[in-house]
Amino acid sequence: MEITAVESVVRGDAHFVAVHTSAGLVGVGQSACWGYPDAVHAVVRTFRPHLLGADPDRIEHHWHHLYRMGPFRGSVLTAAVSAIDLALWDLLGKRLQVPVWQLLGGRVRDRIRLHLLLPGTGADALAAQAAAAVADGFTAVKFDPLPANYGDLSLARLVTETAATTAAVRDTVGPDVDLLIELHRKLTPLQAEVVVPAVGRLLPLMVEDPVQIDSVSSQAEVARRALGVPMANGERLHTIWEFKELLAQGGAQYVRPDLGLAGGISHARKIAALAESYHAAVVSHNCLGPLLTMASVQLDTAISNFVTQEYSPLDDTLADGPARPCVRREGGYLPVPTEPGLGVTLDLTDETPLDLTGRPLTRIPLRADGSVAYAV
């Protein structure tokens, strides 16, 4: 069997690949560099001369060849590698007629715990959404408690309002539901030093990404100074080498690789093993629909240090869309898939653009003085 075609398509802010073989099998994948899908698409085109005619089973070899073809690095490159890697694992599972988790060492759990991403802002909206999620069977929810105008607030007001919103959710769901606090890289290190302990008093499962991701050392330093609050980092990191630096500097108790960005299954399983050696857990980042959810679930099923899987309302909305999963959510859990490969059917004939993020790149928060709020 050899690779006969590498199909790459952009649908809005979504980018998919399909790897075709001489045996008629097709493996599917998706990248997660949602800000620049056309750039990822261009990189996949440069991969074709290497992949056409190649043996699709040589997954590890192809990963290193594609990643080292040029002396460059970054999220666009690793996103392209991720999409191809997922497609090759999908192919291997389909050829052997087993789900991918079976190829990763077998099943270590019977179902996959989910935490629901809450899209609301403000105490009232988030508390109502959290209550609805718990009523639907979720045992964990994730949300951003920062005020919409966080960039223009005094430090005292920023801390007070953020803590009050978190408390409203905690009061609503009680102590039996885990809270995952997403700060979306919006704070300066000095702001984080007071905001993180304030929300930490509400006993969240984790607090994620308080500061910008430009520096691994800065992220690690903020996490080290979090005074016992469990911290999560890594949704925008790309490689085991970045995760190694983060963990070695004491920067996370939860690592957050995205399988569409951090090298696919081949690389994310190495990140999971690296985290395990530091007694750190894996909560993979995931917000771009069913294909990447199903890829993440394959890893979740086979690793011991998994805690909970990120789940977006998009997964329910798009369950009958272009990427159709073989399993559906049951309350706050997903069944372990048993279909061969990733367990996803991808229809690339549907040319309807997808809007997976709901935000054009040009629309970012500005402070009252006109400066970019994300700049520090």
Side-chain angles (χ1 to χ4, degrees):
M1 186 171 67
E2 64 180 39
I3 296 173
T4 56
V6 178
E7 196 174 359
S8 176
V9 302
V10 175
R11 299 285 186 262
D13 58 4
H15 168 255
F16 300 105
V17 300
V19 176
H20 299 255
T21 67
S22 56
L25 294 175
V26 180
V28 298
Q30 182 181 355
S31 63
C33 188
W34 53 264
Y36 307 98
D38 291 300
V40 180
H41 171 67
V43 173
V44 171
R45 289 204 306 266
T46 69
F47 291 167
R48 284 188 178 128
H50 165 72
L51 291 169
L52 294 177
D55 179 356
D57 288 354
R58 299 184 66 191
I59 299 174
E60 185 72 10
H61 169 73
H62 294 315
W63 196 102
H64 287 281
H65 192 110
L66 299 176
Y67 185 72
R68 301 296 185 186
M69 276 171 53
F72 304 100
R73 60 185 297 275
S75 58
V76 170
L77 173 60
T78 54
V81 174
S82 299
I84 295 296
D85 183 82
L86 295 178
L88 295 182
W89 278 103
D90 188 39
L91 272 174
L92 182 60
K94 288 173 176 174
R95 184 174 72 78
L96 298 177
Q97 284 296 290
V98 295
V100 168
W101 57 259
Q102 194 72 63
L103 305 174
L104 301 177
R107 178 171 54 83
V108 300
R109 54 184 45 83
D110 298 324
R111 58 180 183 168
I112 306 301
R113 184 194 186 199
L114 306 173
H115 64 266
L116 183 65
L117 297 176
L118 305 182
T121 58
D124 293 342
L126 286 170
Q129 290 173 3
V134 173
D136 199 19
F138 286 93
T139 62
V141 293
K142 183 180 175 185
F143 59 95
D144 183 340
L146 292 172
N149 60 336
Y150 70 93
D152 294 308
L153 297 179
S154 69
L155 182 60
R157 178 64 66 185
L158 175 66
V159 174
T160 300
E161 291 195 11
T162 303
T165 296
T166 307
V169 178
R170 171 58 78 201
D171 291 344
T172 298
V173 302
D176 296 321
V177 175
D178 277 320
L179 306 185
L180 292 81
I181 307 299
E182 167 69 273
L183 298 178
H184 278 128
R185 303 160 295 280
K186 295 175 179 177
L187 303 178
T188 69
L190 291 178
Q191 289 173 324
E193 192 155 331
V194 287
V195 171
V196 171
V199 298
R201 286 190 281 273
L202 281 304
L203 302 178
L205 179 70
M206 69 182 201
V207 176
E208 181 183 3
D209 277 353
V211 300
Q212 273 297 344
I213 47 82
D214 302 309
S215 165
V216 170
S217 296
S218 294
Q219 294 176 76
E221 175 65 17
V222 168
R224 280 201 308 272
R225 299 171 71 174
L227 301 176
V229 181
M231 300 297 291
N233 301 90
E235 70 175 66
R236 296 292 180 251
L237 300 185
H238 319 133
T239 69
I240 54 171
W241 302 287
E242 291 172 313
F243 279 97
K244 180 196 73 171
E245 293 175 0
L246 180 69
L247 289 162
Q249 295 178 56
Q253 293 82 35
Y254 297 94
V255 296
R256 301 272 290 132
D258 189 311
L259 269 71
L261 191 71
I265 286 172
S266 294
H267 213 58
R269 65 173 177 164
K270 296 178 183 179
I271 293 167
L274 178 67
E276 185 179 5
S277 74
Y278 282 89
H279 297 282
V282 176
V283 180
S284 59
H285 178 261
N286 171 54
C287 65
L288 297 180
L291 198 159
L292 288 175
T293 297
M294 292 300 291
S296 300
V297 163
Q298 304 296 330
L299 185 67
D300 300 337
T301 300
I303 61 173
S304 60
N305 54 336
F306 162 80
V307 173
T308 177
Q309 175 58 52
E310 197 150 86
Y311 192 85
S312 168
L314 272 176
D315 283 273
D316 290 341
T317 303
L318 296 177
D320 295 311
R324 295 184 293 278
C326 67
V327 295
R328 301 295 173 96
R329 178 175 64 84
E330 298 176 358
Y333 295 85
L334 274 175
V336 170
T338 57
E339 292 295 312
L342 297 180
V344 179
T345 302
L346 180 63
D347 178 11
L348 293 180
T349 63
D350 185 349
E351 298 185 1
T352 304
L354 295 174
D355 183 7
L356 302 179
T357 62
R359 174 174 84 76
L361 284 188
T362 53
R363 196 177 75 220
I364 65 173
L366 300 177
R367 299 188 185 95
D369 63 4
S371 63
V372 174
Y374 287 158
V376 178

